[in-house]
């Protein structure tokens, strides 16, 4: 098997409208397409970052919560690259999103921080200079 790239990441949310507003209005991802799947009582929202398809946002009736704290097995977090972490943190905070204090990766020397989506999914900003 020759993998070429990560194609997309699927996220299930508890409140579709709230999560759609977060991923588009706060993080600035662009809507590619939005489909209501009546047979599943489920929304599917395809989102892009720049020209790259990146996230499928799903809603389902009464999804069980995902344990994040303490850290659970499975996907730990999604990380987004930023050129200026301080500016990105300021933009999040202006939109009411709390972030952890900036840290420095001891192996790369790059700075990063964590925040959460409306369902508590850990998200990371990682400064790439």
């Amino acid at each position: 098997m020759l993998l070429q790239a990560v194609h997309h990441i699927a996220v299930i949310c508890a409140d579709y409208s709230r999560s759609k507003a977060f991923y588009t209005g706060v993080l600035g991802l662009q809507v590619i397409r939005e489909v209501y799947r009546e047979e599943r009582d489920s929304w599917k929202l395809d989102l892009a970052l720049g020209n790259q398809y990146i996230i499928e946002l799903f809603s389902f009736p009464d999804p069980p919560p995902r344990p994040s704290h303490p850290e659970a097995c499975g996907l730990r977090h999604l990380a987004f690259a930023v050129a200026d972490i301080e500016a990105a943190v300021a933009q999040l905070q202006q939109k009411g999103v709390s972030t952890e204090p900036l840290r420095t990766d001891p192996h790369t020397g790059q700075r990063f921080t964590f925040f959460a989506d409306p369902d508590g999914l850990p998200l990371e900003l990682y400064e790439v200079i």
Side-chain angles (χ1 to χ4, degrees):
M1 175 182 351
L2 298 175
L3 302 179
Q4 296 176 337
V6 173
H7 186 265
H8 69 272
I9 299 155
V11 175
I12 297 173
C13 62
D15 181 324
Y16 180 72
S17 296
R18 179 181 68 180
S19 292
K20 178 182 175 183
F22 177 81
Y23 282 95
T24 59
V26 174
L27 297 185
L29 300 180
Q30 294 89 39
V31 174
I32 298 170
R33 80 186 59 75
E34 182 176 37
V35 177
Y36 180 71
R37 303 174 312 164
E38 189 171 348
E39 71 282 1
R40 299 184 82 179
D41 190 20
S42 168
W43 285 97
K44 179 180 181 283
L45 181 65
D46 295 334
L47 299 167
L49 179 58
N51 293 325
Q52 184 177 357
Y53 175 50
I54 187 168
I55 291 179
E56 286 180 340
L57 184 64
F58 290 98
S59 71
F60 291 105
D62 303 314
R66 177 194 180 276
S68 289
H69 302 285
E71 293 186 17
C73 288
L75 180 66
R76 182 176 177 332
H77 64 268
L78 306 179
F80 296 98
V82 297
D84 182 342
I85 197 161
E86 290 172 354
V89 166
Q91 289 175 347
L92 287 174
Q93 291 174 346
Q94 288 171 356
K95 295 178 180 183
V97 178
S98 299
T99 62
E100 292 181 2
L102 291 179
R103 294 188 256 169
T104 301
D105 184 321
H107 305 291
T108 66
Q110 304 291 53
R111 297 185 301 166
F112 66 97
T113 189
F114 285 93
F115 61 106
D117 84 349
D119 292 304
L121 176 66
L123 302 174
E124 179 183 8
L125 296 178
Y126 195 90
E127 188 172 56
V128 179
I129 299 176

